Amino acid sequence: MDFELSADDLALQSGIVELCRGRFTMDRIRASEETGALDQEMWSELVDAGVFSLRLPEDEGGVGLGCTQAVLVFEQLGRALVPGPLVATHLGADFGLTGIVGMVDRDVSPLLVEHLDSLDRLLILAPDGVWVCDADDVQGGQVDAFLDPLTPLYAAASLPKGQLLASDGAGMKLRGAALTAAYQVGIATAVTERAVAYAKERRQFDRPIGSFQAVKHICADMLVRAEVARAAVYAAGVILDDPSAGDETRAVVAAQLLANEAAVANGKACVQVHGGMGFTWEVDVHLFLKRAALLATHFGSNDERAETMAAFL
Amino acid sequence: MDLRYSESEERFRAELRAWLLNVLPALPPKPSGEEWHARRTYDTTWQRMLFEAGYAGIDWPRAVGGREATPAEQLIFLEETERAGAPYVGVNFVGLLHAGPTLVAEGSDEQKARFLPKILRGEEVWCQCFSEPNAGSDLASLQTKAVRDGDHYVVNGQKIWTSFAHVADYGELLVRTDADAPKHEGITWLILPMDAPGIEVRPMRTIAGSREFSEVFFNDVRVPVANRVGDENDGWRIAMVTFSFERGTAFVSELLSSLRMLERLADLARKIPRADGTAWDDAGIRRDLGHLAADFDALWALTKRNVTQAARGTGVPGLGGSVFKLHYTEARHRMGDLAMRLLDRSSLSLEDQETAEHVRGWLHAMSMTIAAGTSQVQRNIVGERILGLPKER
């Protein structure tokens, strides 16, 4: 047992951190706020960095890594708030799908497709398996107002039947849930860092507000939520690669439950620490919070996850 | 990252499991709550059995008679003893997890030779005399005074929250030896023989009705200077050496039993009648139970990260302990609250053992966010030492 990043993992992690810092700056990410369209150049950079081919075997043009490493990469993408259907495109690669791949759950109402105008293909999750269709075949009108400014939504009246990719989508959903949870841990971490930085710099009553226990304790709770969720998410990644180390469903569901809560609760706490500025559109905090709320709806709800966990008792 | 245990670790598990299967049936029944002398006998008998089988001082260095198990083996030890229903560390807690490790780190060769083997063999029981009525979270403001008189210190004052004081042979004692120095620089760490004249132990009753805590009064108690650990006035640093350790490990050993307790609570929910079935039919109850399972699973994963970091010498193990303790104790509060909600009026009678376990657990949880550094102190530690926020002035 050695439950900490290996030298290779650390190298991978610092590589993706540098990529995000250098290329995916908040200015660049926010530039697409007006149009809502995905930044195609940024997407190419993600493709080139191997974000989507990470787990493919090397002879298929991939990097040959596991979920353990994919989790580390998606955590950093979340920390940088990189927009787009990252998880769906990554999962699509397992089926040989290329281009920008979205995802929708056929049975979830309302039927809202994220990023539809930017998509090439759409994965359709259904009780009888995973299906795929061309994005062009989906009739959907853009929703005028939507929660996450960087995730435009399209209302679809119905979905084409598409083509069956796999009759059992359980494994794919678990991998997607783990990567989504990793992204949420990244958000939970990013907003903790932002709250702490602000608490050190913002002065009231002639001292940094972070010196007040009332503020310090909010920040401490943020770190605790992020660290507990991170441990669960890393465990989920490892167990997906090595099911002898634990129950895959139990590990992933617990991780996603806690990561969703950490991301949303920390996002709200970050608004609180920023005071009035935290409630402005200008400060980035709301973008993290809104993405956290959006991702918390992926692969089922937290109520369903809590039910799944209860079934293990 | 790897969560699998190695072949040698699995061998360790198999041997331990076989040994537990063999010896546990021979153990006498556990004495009930308030029979403290019987409990001492029970806990020290178990300790003696661990010693004879080579499992005593699982994390202690071999040089002082410990097992020096790897961190993974220590987790296996927790898993297997919990699984087999083996006794908890009980009255040996301070000796094995606090005073002993302090002596290993800071004691003289004579002190190590005199005290450590007897802790390992379950021959001597220790207690902790640190807190005072006016020195709780602000422990460094302690005022129990020790004045040098020849080759003795003469101690006067009062301690409080001393667990197992009435059955202990020795106490780890913090005293003020320099009243004029800044508060952290006038403290000395002494080994206190609990049978020394002038010590009075008065048990206190907790909200759970138990009497494990005592007040300890000192009236001209003479402690040999040879019992001093480290230098005079260096006691604060010595106490800090093991504090992070206490937070890091003491609560971890309870985590697995908390998960078992949660499983029993779920069983109870399946039996408690409600209008059209049982409490288990209530989605709110089920989800809260399921959420706690996620919390405890995540904390076990966090523990694996903390011990790996400690073994690698990366991270700060004591700080990982603060994160663990904050989340674990909060989860225990939630589990207690959930039990009370489930039991409703059944919680009022403590005659049924199955019910009483959960009601007492609810009460006991309240001590967890207070003992070994309150949650408020832990949040200061996390805020200042991990996040680098400025201290309050």
Side-chain angles (χ1 to χ4, degrees), chain B residues 240-308:
Chain B
M240 288 304 112
V241 168
T242 40
F243 257 144
S244 54
F245 190 85
E246 180 184 4
R247 282 165 198 153
T249 54
F251 289 88
V252 167
S253 55
E254 291 180 16
L255 176 60
L256 295 173
S257 65
S258 297
L259 190 53
R260 296 292 96 77
M261 194 170 165
L262 181 67
E263 287 164 356
R264 289 193 294 276
L265 192 59
D267 290 341
L268 202 56
R270 291 184 176 98
K271 287 192 293 191
I272 291 177
R274 285 283 194 269
D276 292 317
T278 69
W280 185 258
D281 300 325
D282 179 338
I285 297 272
R286 280 199 310 274
R287 289 170 190 169
D288 285 356
L289 286 163
H291 196 296
L292 283 161
D295 287 303
F296 291 145
D297 282 3
L299 284 163
W300 188 236
L302 180 68
T303 298
K304 290 176 174 174
R305 262 170 79 69
N306 285 346
V307 299
T308 301

Side-chain angles (χ1 to χ4, degrees), chain B residues 180-350:
Chain B
D180 300 324
K183 64 181 180 180
H184 294 93
E185 294 165 24
I187 294 169
T188 299
W189 206 108
L190 297 177
I191 298 168
L192 171 73
M194 291 301 288
D195 60 359
I199 296 178
E200 189 195 344
V201 173
R202 289 187 208 158
M204 301 166 81
R205 200 159 184 213
T206 70
I207 62 170
S210 57
R211 295 180 194 272
E212 69 264 34
F213 295 136
S214 294
E215 293 176 285
V216 182
F217 295 86
F218 299 84
N219 186 11
D220 286 336
V221 176
R222 296 181 71 81
V223 179
V225 171
N227 283 18
R228 190 182 69 213
V229 174
D231 291 337
E232 191 169 284
N233 298 327
D234 197 25
W236 183 254
R237 183 187 63 78
I238 291 165
M240 288 304 112
V241 168
T242 40
F243 257 144
S244 54
F245 190 85
E246 180 184 4
R247 282 165 198 153
T249 54
F251 289 88
V252 167
S253 55
E254 291 180 16
L255 176 60
L256 295 173
S257 65
S258 297
L259 190 53
R260 296 292 96 77
M261 194 170 165
L262 181 67
E263 287 164 356
R264 289 193 294 276
L265 192 59
D267 290 341
L268 202 56
R270 291 184 176 98
K271 287 192 293 191
I272 291 177
R274 285 283 194 269
D276 292 317
T278 69
W280 185 258
D281 300 325
D282 179 338
I285 297 272
R286 280 199 310 274
R287 289 170 190 169
D288 285 356
L289 286 163
H291 196 296
L292 283 161
D295 287 303
F296 291 145
D297 282 3
L299 284 163
W300 188 236
L302 180 68
T303 298
K304 290 176 174 174
R305 262 170 79 69
N306 285 346
V307 299
T308 301
Q309 286 174 352
R312 283 205 200 171
T314 58
V316 189
L319 299 186
S322 288
V323 170
F324 177 92
K325 184 178 187 280
L326 277 165
H327 193 80
Y328 168 67
T329 56
E330 185 264 337
R332 284 296 306 256
H333 270 261
R334 273 191 279 125
M335 181 160 79
D337 292 342
L338 175 58
M340 293 301 280
R341 198 171 114 214
L342 253 173
L343 291 166
D344 196 36
R345 278 182 67 77
S346 308
S347 67
L348 303 181
S349 163
L350 300 179

